[in-house]
Amino acid sequence: MRLCVEIRAQLNNVTDLTAEGADFRWYIKVRCGNCMEESKWLYAVAEDRVPVKGGRGTVHLVIKCKLCARENTVEILEDHIKPYRAVDSGVFKAIVAFNCRGVEISAFDPRGGFRVRGESSVFNDVSLSDKEWYDYDDIASQEVSITDFEYRVVKL
Ligand SMILES: [Zn+2]
């Protein structure tokens, strides 16, 4: 099953929000499709792949369900990693997609690693775990913020 994480937020004096780099950690929880057990927080990283048993290629996470012991997998669909831009402000927009086998994504935590561009300054390693973020663009002499952050998981 291919699932997207869509986000919605208000960008104030911010041009875009980007999951920066191939080492960005996508923090997720997954729910087992067999027994419905939810995992702990896990993270997938685009540059880190692991082989699937039986020579069926590679994925980003192999997750053994704690309850039923089934092995499920999650693969980041890297072509679907997109910035969230000022024009998207207030509208749900996909920033990443995953190919999930045996699991669904039940939670997403944007806990760090975002790059935020203001009109004149760049802010690195931004977290949106608090659903909002505030800073000051010294060069443009104005406050920058991201507020009302929400996410949802939808089928691709
Ligand atoms: Zn299970």
Side-chain angles (χ1 to χ4, degrees), residues 9-26:
Q10 293 293 334
L11 307 191
N12 310 299
N13 298 323
V14 164
T15 59
D16 63 76
L17 165 72
T18 306
E20 180 63 7
D23 61 349
F24 182 89
R25 292 180 175 187
W26 295 97

Side-chain angles (χ1 to χ4, degrees), residues 32 34-37 65 67-70:
C32 178
N34 187 42
C35 72
M36 305 309 281
E37 177 76 358
C65 177
L67 201 61
C68 74
R70 184 188 276 199

Side-chain angles (χ1 to χ4, degrees), residues 38-50:
E38 189 176 48
S39 72
K40 295 179 182 168
W41 285 108
L42 310 163
Y43 64 85
V45 173
E47 67 184 6
D48 295 341
R49 286 180 163 268
V50 289

Side-chain angles (χ1 to χ4, degrees), residues 1-8 26 28-29 74-77 79-82 92-100 103-108 150-156:
M1 183 190 308
R2 291 170 157 226
L3 296 173
C4 303
V5 172
E6 292 186 343
I7 67 167
R8 177 164 74 180
W26 295 97
I28 55 173
K29 287 184 181 180
V74 172
E75 181 179 14
I76 301 168
L77 299 172
D79 291 349
H80 291 265
I81 298 175
K82 305 279 189 210
F92 275 106
K93 183 98 189 297
I95 58 164
V96 66
F98 300 92
N99 191 17
C100 302
V103 282
E104 285 191 23
I105 292 169
S106 53
F108 166 61
E150 295 174 80
Y151 77 89
R152 65 185 184 188
V153 179
V154 297
K155 284 186 181 167
L156 183 65

